[in-house]
Amino acid sequence: MSLTQIFLVLCVSAAALCDVTRLKTSSSEHAQARAVYGLLRRLVGNRSAEFTVKVHKNLSWDGLDVCELRSTGDNKLAVTGSSGVAAASGLYSYFKYFCNCHVSWSGDQLDLHRPLPKVSGVLRISTPHRFRYYQNVCTYSYSFVWWDWLRWEREIDWMALNGINLALAFTGQEALWQEVYHTLGLNQSEIEDFFSGPAFLAWNRMGNMFRFGGPLPQSWHVNQLLLQFKILTRMRSLGMIPVLPAFSGNIPKGILRLFPEAKVTRLGPWSNFNCSMSCSYLLDPRDPLFLQIGSLYLSQVVKQFGTDHIYNTDNFNEMTPPSSDPAYLSAVSRSVFASMTSVDPQAIWLMQGWLFFSDQTFWKPEQIQALLHGVPLGRMIILDLFAETEPIYSSTKSFYGQPFIWCMLQNFGGNSGLFGTVERINSGPFEALSFPNSTMVGIGITPEGIEQNPVMFELMSELAWRKEPVNLAKWASLYSVRRYGSMHKNLTTAWKLLFSSVYNCTVPHYKNHNHSPLVRRPSLHMNTGIWYDPAYLYKAWKLIIEEAPSLMSKETFQYDLVDVTRQAIELLTISFYHSIVDAFQKKNLTELMTAGGVLVFDLLPELSRLLNSNHNFLLGVWLERARSLSVDEKEAQLYDMNARNQLTLWGPDGEILDYANKEWGGLVEDYYAQRWGLFVQTLVKCLNSGQPFKQDAFNQAVFQIEKGFIYNGRKYPTQPEGDTYEISRRIFLKYYPQALNRFS
């Protein structure tokens, strides 16, 4: 390449980045400062008076957020940020590293010193990343679906403290689609037949499925619309940029009645669903009707929600396009973008890059480039969604010039289970930033589900404010101190052990679904692979148990005690499973009944008691939140079914069985333990009768248990029961020696 060509490439890249970096909040400096101070009051109450907060946009000359901290003569801390988010993130940095405080989904540790620790001189904290992005389109179904405003308010506070300035704002969009469909002439039954139930809306929005779990009640639309107004107001007040939804071409079947000449392709079935609930109708983006519907919808979005000029839509998510012709793919993205700019000439398209990973057979370089180049460079941002494991930027020359955000996905389906890739996330963003002609404009957190593994999200968000990788052992030690409020040698050692084992998956292409036999339908051929040395986990467990008596007043410690003990039991389940299978294959009935009996009648009941002792691990909380959104018993039953089905069958007949598995009290005893009981019972019968184990017959039988759980009508506890320390100590004393022996 000649010097002239290199210069032209660099100029194009610079121009492309310039477009997206023009995105900015419309909130005034005063409004942002006031919003951060409100966050402080919610966090530390009256002690918020010991802080002053200001926002000055000109604190940053290059558009990259910065915060300055200084102590004043009257024992206050003065916080000045280039944005509200910068100020909030600077505050949290002070809380962490000066006050040993901590805020997380699983509890806070906010014992602020009196007086506040002094900052020497002016401490300036800055980020090399224009955007710090948060959310996956699936998070709305796996985690946010039943939230009220109080829970959303808490989450937006967490986002600000962790420096998030770009986030999806997808709540309430179906209410606007209903208006658009009515305007076009669809009747109510056609609309209701299209929307899925609340727990499955993410995949309805992406065109994967329709109808299942519905219809959506009108009260749902009203509730979600009012919630969205509050969410947007709060996000914007803190200086965040909300990403609003746009049209992807996914349409109800009723459109064909109204526009019989429209060019519509019916896609194939999605993820084991039949065509009564999938095989979505895709309107050809080149059809004039696409622009009509897309602009009609986005006009409603902008009218109701305002705009910050950035919109998300995901075409062909886990669906194969009808043509691989580059000309077609360019026309698709060009038409989608045109439907945005027809309403908002300043529009930027944010797109998840998951499709390029999930269907690599279809998406070759020519097809990827064609889709991306249908949009002017700089008017699209790609989320490299799973970059900690499967980065796409490096094989696409930085997405062929389109700006991208390096993301950590970390969790699929909101699964329980300790997991992380600390070495990869500690190096990956810095490598991407220094990639030749890099178009990276930010760092992102894109889990399918949240409220698990809080340490991974704190580390990832902090890396957005670092100029180089952290010392992981030191970081883990400091995390332990602030999570529990003081130094405990055993706990710093425990966290180092966890960071070097269960939180450091280095297996290539490892996709973090919880594969534990505990949460999967039993068979004789289950995936039991683990990516870490169990000895490290058990050493950490022992150290945590030893510190427990003095720390049970800390909700953060209580959570970790349950979570690590739960992980230890999960490992033991693997061992007992192998014993069961081995005994069956050797036709040793005594060993089969012994191993099966311990698993079904002791280990799993102990796990259930443990989980029921902590609020964060209760199925009842999830179900209560779902039912609380209803206006009558009919709606309550609909939401309850949605909530239970997503965790278990994921579809009417187990189409995506156990994908969103959770190790929660209530779910363990009435779902997982019941399946394992039937499995052991069936194997015993097979040995007694001399008959082979038939998986198909077992699947039919166990399906009755799975489906029965969804409709059992049982109310589960919403408050913890039992003494967490006594239960975990009993489990430890009973099983720790066995664990060492089994995994030695």
Side-chain angles (χ1 to χ4, degrees):
M1 185 181 288
S2 68
L3 288 175
T4 301
Q5 289 174 314
I6 293 173
F7 177 74
L8 288 173
V9 168
L10 291 174
C11 286
V12 169
S13 296
L17 297 180
C18 188
D19 277 329
V20 299
T21 53
R22 287 195 188 103
L23 289 169
K24 58 183 180 181
T25 182
S26 58
S27 296
S28 70
E29 295 173 339
H30 178 68
Q32 292 179 62
R34 189 170 63 245
V36 175
Y37 196 74
L39 184 163
L40 257 177
R41 283 199 303 272
R42 288 188 293 277
L43 205 61
V44 297
N46 292 336
R47 297 209 59 187
S48 60
E50 297 171 45
F51 299 82
T52 64
V53 179
K54 294 181 180 178
V55 172
H56 292 311
K57 296 176 183 178
N58 60 8
L59 197 64
S60 169
W61 59 270
D62 57 3
L64 300 176
D65 267 335
V66 63
C67 180
E68 292 184 347
L69 308 174
R70 64 180 180 85
S71 295
T72 63
D74 53 354
N75 290 323
K76 290 186 177 183
L77 183 77
V79 182
T80 307
S82 56
S83 69
V85 166
S89 183
L91 267 169
Y92 191 40
S93 183
Y94 174 79
F95 283 164
K96 289 192 293 187
Y97 288 104
F98 285 79
C99 307
N100 290 333
C101 287
H102 178 72
V103 176
S104 77
W105 296 314
S106 51
D108 298 342
Q109 194 291 111
L110 288 168
D111 294 336
L112 281 178
H113 301 288
R114 290 183 185 273
L116 291 176
K118 297 280 187 182
V119 173
S120 178
V122 177
L123 176 60
R124 187 177 174 91
I125 304 168
S126 61
T127 174
H129 302 289
R130 174 64 182 85
F131 300 114
R132 285 87 58 199
Y133 174 82
Y134 176 51
Q135 293 178 26
N136 182 306
V137 294
C138 298
T139 326
Y140 274 82
S141 290
Y142 284 133
S143 294
F144 302 165
V145 55
W146 312 121
W147 285 6
D148 58 13
W149 169 240
L150 285 178
R151 182 61 187 86
W152 262 111
E153 181 176 55
R154 165 75 181 183
E155 190 71 7
I156 297 170
D157 285 351
W158 178 91
M159 289 161 59
L161 292 169
N162 284 279
I164 304 300
N165 68 345
L166 184 67
L168 294 182
F170 268 26
T171 304
Q173 60 179 281
E174 282 71 30
L176 304 192
W177 271 121
Q178 180 171 251
E179 290 302 310
V180 168
Y181 292 145
H182 278 147
T183 300
L184 289 169
L186 267 69
N187 59 49
Q188 190 62 30
S189 64
E190 289 172 321
I191 296 172
E192 290 180 353
D193 199 47
F194 176 64
F195 290 140
S196 67
F200 304 97
L201 281 174
W203 302 276
N204 179 242
R205 293 164 178 173
M206 290 184 286
N208 301 129
M209 60 180 290
F210 54 88
R211 186 186 297 140
F212 178 67
L216 284 179
Q218 290 306 305
S219 63
W220 173 268
H221 294 307
V222 173
N223 174 285
Q224 296 296 292
L225 200 57
L226 293 174
L227 195 54
Q228 173 76 334
F229 293 142
K230 293 180 179 179
I231 291 168
L232 288 170
T233 299
R234 181 60 56 80
M235 282 185 175
R236 287 170 174 151
S237 72
L238 286 161
M240 296 177 191
I241 300 171
V243 181
L244 297 173
F247 179 51
S248 67
N250 175 38
I251 56 172
K253 182 181 180 181
I255 292 292
L256 301 179
R257 175 182 63 81
L258 298 171
F259 303 95
E261 303 302 317
K263 296 178 182 177
V264 176
T265 300
R266 190 159 198 199
L267 300 176
W270 174 74
S271 208
N272 301 317
F273 277 84
N274 62 40
C275 285
S276 68
M277 295 179 182
S278 69
C279 305
S280 298
Y281 295 91
L282 180 68
L283 177 61
D284 191 319
R286 298 168 296 184
D287 190 301
L289 184 60
F290 189 99
L291 182 62
Q292 179 185 342
I293 295 177
S295 58
L296 185 61
Y297 177 64
L298 200 62
S299 294
Q300 275 288 329
V301 168
V302 173
K303 177 183 176 182
Q304 295 293 334
F305 301 153
T307 186
D308 296 84
H309 309 296
I310 183 164
Y311 310 94
N312 167 262
T313 188
D314 292 301
N315 299 79
F316 312 125
N317 179 73
E318 298 183 357
M319 304 293 286
T320 302
S323 171
S324 61
D325 182 1
Y328 167 76
L329 295 170
S330 287
V332 166
S333 55
R334 190 161 50 247
S335 298
V336 172
F337 187 62
S339 72
M340 297 178 186
T341 54
S342 67
V343 175
D344 181 358
Q346 300 178 58
I348 301 288
W349 179 3
L350 178 83
M351 185 181 80
Q352 295 193 152
W354 178 254
L355 73 169
F356 303 136
F357 164 72
S358 65
D359 191 358
Q360 296 176 55
T361 301
F362 179 91
W363 292 103
K364 302 299 185 184
E366 188 177 16
Q367 283 69 38
I368 296 174
Q369 188 167 359
L371 187 75
L372 299 182
H373 282 185
V375 177
L377 291 182
R379 301 297 295 275
M380 172 184 268
I381 300 176
I382 313 299
L383 299 176
D384 203 345
L385 205 73
F386 194 26
E388 83 273 26
T389 299
E390 298 285 354
I392 304 298
Y393 78 88
S394 54
S395 60
T396 58
K397 301 176 182 176
S398 273
F399 292 97
Y400 302 110
Q402 291 287 20
F404 75 95
I405 294 175
W406 194 101
C407 301
M408 176 189 78
L409 201 157
Q410 200 274 332
N411 182 277
F412 290 84
N415 294 167
S416 308
L418 304 185
F419 179 81
T421 54
V422 290
E423 285 188 14
R424 290 178 185 170
I425 69 167
N426 195 35
S427 59
F430 304 99
E431 293 169 358
L433 204 55
S434 61
F435 190 73
N437 300 321
S438 177
T439 53
M440 180 177 168
V441 293
I443 193 168
I445 300 174
T446 54
E448 285 192 348
I450 63 166
E451 297 180 320
Q452 38 69 36
N453 292 296
V455 66
M456 292 302 301
F457 298 92
E458 179 147 319
L459 174 60
M460 187 64 184
S461 62
E462 188 172 313
L463 286 170
W465 296 81
R466 297 277 189 162
K467 306 299 189 297
E468 59 186 11
V470 301
N471 180 311
L472 289 171
K474 181 179 179 182
W475 193 92
S477 298
L478 293 173
Y479 177 83
S480 169
V481 172
R482 62 178 177 266
R483 185 149 172 89
Y484 311 127
S486 57
M487 170 68 77
H488 297 268
K489 187 177 179 181
N490 276 354
L491 296 180
T492 58
T493 302
W495 275 102
K496 288 178 183 178
L497 288 167
L498 294 173
F499 256 47
S500 59
S501 59
V502 69
Y503 280 120
N504 191 28
C505 179
T506 57
V507 178
H509 314 296
Y510 190 89
K511 202 172 177 182
N512 175 36
H513 294 292
N514 190 342
H515 295 293
S516 169
L518 170 62
V519 292
R520 298 285 175 169
R521 179 187 279 176
S523 79
L524 292 174
H525 306 284
M526 302 185 78
N527 178 358
T528 60
I530 54 177
W531 62 95
Y532 62 98
D533 184 345
Y536 284 70
L537 178 82
Y538 285 118
K539 288 178 184 176
W541 185 29
K542 181 176 185 293
L543 294 169
I544 290 170
I545 288 286
E546 288 173 356
E547 291 292 338
S550 63
L551 284 169
M552 290 306 294
S553 62
K554 301 284 186 181
E555 61 177 338
T556 48
F557 181 83
Q558 292 174 31
Y559 177 92
D560 292 342
L561 176 61
V562 172
D563 210 18
V564 173
T565 304
R566 178 206 52 73
Q567 188 74 17
I569 294 175
E570 183 180 290
L571 276 177
L572 279 167
T573 303
I574 295 174
S575 178
F576 280 107
Y577 166 71
H578 284 305
S579 296
I580 290 168
V581 172
D582 185 61
F584 179 75
Q585 291 173 342
K586 292 178 178 177
K587 298 183 180 179
N588 189 323
L589 183 60
T590 301
E591 288 186 7
L592 171 61
M593 294 182 69
T594 299
V598 173
L599 175 65
V600 174
F601 298 113
D602 192 80
L603 187 63
L604 293 184
E606 287 283 34
L607 174 60
S608 182
R609 283 187 282 271
L610 174 73
L611 298 171
N612 281 325
S613 73
N614 187 280
H615 182 267
N616 295 281
F617 296 89
L618 295 179
L619 170 66
V621 172
W622 170 257
L623 298 181
E624 181 186 48
R625 284 177 174 174
R627 296 181 69 92
S628 70
L629 297 183
S630 64
V631 298
D632 56 34
E633 183 57 25
K634 182 180 178 181
E635 283 187 17
Q637 290 177 10
L638 177 69
Y639 296 163
D640 186 84
M641 185 280 287
N642 269 256
R644 291 170 185 249
N645 185 282
Q646 188 209 80
L647 301 175
T648 55
L649 289 176
W650 216 116
D653 298 307
E655 283 76 1
I656 318 181
L657 182 69
D658 295 324
Y659 183 94
N661 58 73
K662 308 288 191 298
E663 291 171 34
W664 286 347
L667 203 54
V668 168
E669 59 260 40
D670 277 3
Y671 186 75
Y672 301 129
Q674 296 302 314
R675 294 200 304 195
W676 279 101
L678 180 62
F679 181 65
V680 172
Q681 180 185 350
T682 303
L683 294 181
V684 169
K685 286 182 178 178
C686 287
L687 288 188
N688 282 329
S689 65
Q691 297 295 314
F693 174 77
K694 296 180 179 179
Q695 187 69 49
D696 288 346
F698 175 75
N699 289 348
Q700 292 177 20
V702 81
F703 178 73
Q704 301 309 312
I705 290 175
E706 294 161 344
K707 191 171 183 179
F709 167 78
I710 294 171
Y711 298 102
N712 71 14
R714 180 181 169 187
K715 299 291 180 65
Y716 292 91
T718 58
Q719 296 298 324
E721 301 173 346
D723 187 309
T724 300
Y725 171 64
E726 290 300 330
I727 296 169
S728 58
R729 181 174 176 272
R730 182 174 66 242
I731 294 171
F732 176 81
L733 292 174
K734 188 186 299 184
Y735 285 107
Y736 182 72
Q738 290 188 49
L740 292 183
N741 182 53
R742 286 174 176 269
F743 289 101
S744 61

